Amino acid sequence: MKKIALFGECMIELNGEPFGVMYQTYGGDTLNTATYLARVSAPHALQICYVSAVGSDKLSQSLLTYWQADGINTQWVLQDENRSLGLYLIQLDKQGERTFLYWRNQSAARYLLQHPHFSEISNQLSSVDMIYLSGVSLAILPESDRELLITYLTKLKHSGVEIAFDSNFRPALWESLAQAKSCYHALLPLVDIALVTFDDEATLWQDEDEQQTIARLSAYSIPKIIIKQGKKGAIAYQYPQPIFVPTTPVEQVMDTTSAGDAFNAGFLAGYLQGKSLASCCHQGNQLAGIVIQHKGAIIDKSATAHLLAQFSTIQ
């Protein structure tokens, strides 16, 4: 059985009209990926562990119950007696594109590495096959903790653990472009699978096209590079040439909130079974295409239930 540890933060989500009806749920980029990965993976084939911190309040405990019901192993989710969950509000335009407001500066997950029991987790992470994290996983941490996390990841890399990274650049979470670039420069040489969105790469690195993104990431000796292109599809690059994997258009886009996270889940579900990069990207496109037709970061599990048997088939 393969074992993957996903590192990051989950927050309470408010979704609705300002000064109108608001719906409360939850989400966070790596938690979204963990959830969808658990939903489309056979339990006997993959163990999905989330690495984070929550509060000790009832709301935090309710989250753990939901995650466990989805098949996520929460043994590495620490409880912080002094802090609780972050909060974000989503506003959608008529095209389903979203803007966010965040309240997360004192969230438990931000101070995960300072938790007195985090060292117990870090000592166990060498038992996993893959670590998955994102640019948000890095951005929310205090700077000294980012450096410490990269030190941990360096040791895991040398012990044979694969590192998968979604750059997921969010400018509001960084002090400056220079700070984000410096942190990414330190991490990217450790990465085995880069799962990036071209729009993010263009914003952070001023890439003019996908070939420039491939060339830049290849300079870090990253073996597998996946570039997400939204409604166009994805590009998978493994030396010597890229492969384009198109999407199937959907009739109506309701909410793109976790499209990239869902793509990553579909991709990793295939990758951890040994499928080709093209097949993995096809799974990612397929799962994301379903998710964007519903509101919220995490949709009802019935919408993706049919993918479990399909994705479990070795191609």
Side-chain angles (χ1 to χ4, degrees), residues 82-250:
N82 301 311
R83 300 181 179 89
S84 189
L85 303 164
L87 172 73
Y88 69 99
L89 184 150
I90 299 178
Q91 295 175 282
L92 298 173
D93 63 21
K94 293 181 180 179
Q95 288 72 45
E97 291 299 326
R98 74 277 194 228
T99 56
F100 296 87
L101 293 174
Y102 295 99
W103 296 267
R104 73 197 315 173
N105 285 343
Q106 291 300 313
S107 74
R110 173 173 167 80
Y111 297 95
L112 170 63
L113 272 70
Q114 298 179 27
H115 194 286
H117 296 299
F118 181 74
S119 61
E120 298 171 16
I121 294 176
S122 64
N123 290 334
Q124 298 177 63
L125 287 175
S126 59
S127 68
V128 306
D129 297 284
M130 175 180 286
I131 295 285
Y132 170 88
L133 73 160
S134 73
V136 175
S137 307
L138 295 167
I140 65 169
L141 299 176
E143 188 167 0
S144 60
D145 289 0
R146 290 184 203 130
E147 295 172 359
L148 182 58
L149 177 59
I150 291 173
T151 298
Y152 284 133
L153 293 173
T154 301
K155 294 178 181 178
L156 291 169
K157 168 81 171 183
H158 291 160
S159 70
V161 176
E162 280 193 287
I163 308 293
F165 176 63
D166 180 350
S167 60
N168 203 10
F169 175 61
R170 297 293 176 261
L173 298 180
W174 296 92
E175 292 180 7
S176 65
L177 288 179
Q179 183 192 54
K181 287 181 177 180
S182 176
C183 185
Y184 284 29
H185 273 309
L187 177 69
L188 287 170
L190 307 176
V191 172
D192 296 286
I193 307 172
L195 293 152
V196 305
T197 299
F198 177 71
D199 289 347
D200 291 346
E201 301 303 287
T203 299
L204 178 58
W205 303 100
Q206 292 75 55
D207 290 352
E208 296 181 358
D209 55 38
E210 290 80 359
Q211 290 300 321
Q212 189 172 354
T213 299
I214 290 172
R216 179 175 48 77
L217 293 175
S218 294
Y220 292 99
S221 300
I222 299 173
K224 302 171 184 70
I225 299 167
I226 311 300
I227 303 176
K228 293 171 281 185
Q229 300 175 296
K231 64 183 179 181
K232 290 196 298 183
I235 295 173
Y237 178 77
Q238 186 173 21
Y239 184 83
Q241 63 184 14
I243 300 170
F244 173 63
V245 183
T247 59
T248 299
V250 301

Side-chain angles (χ1 to χ4, degrees), residues 276-294:
S276 69
L277 293 187
S279 294
C280 295
C281 287
H282 176 70
Q283 290 190 179
N285 287 336
Q286 191 174 359
L287 181 52
I290 293 171
V291 170
I292 63 175
Q293 295 180 69
H294 301 77

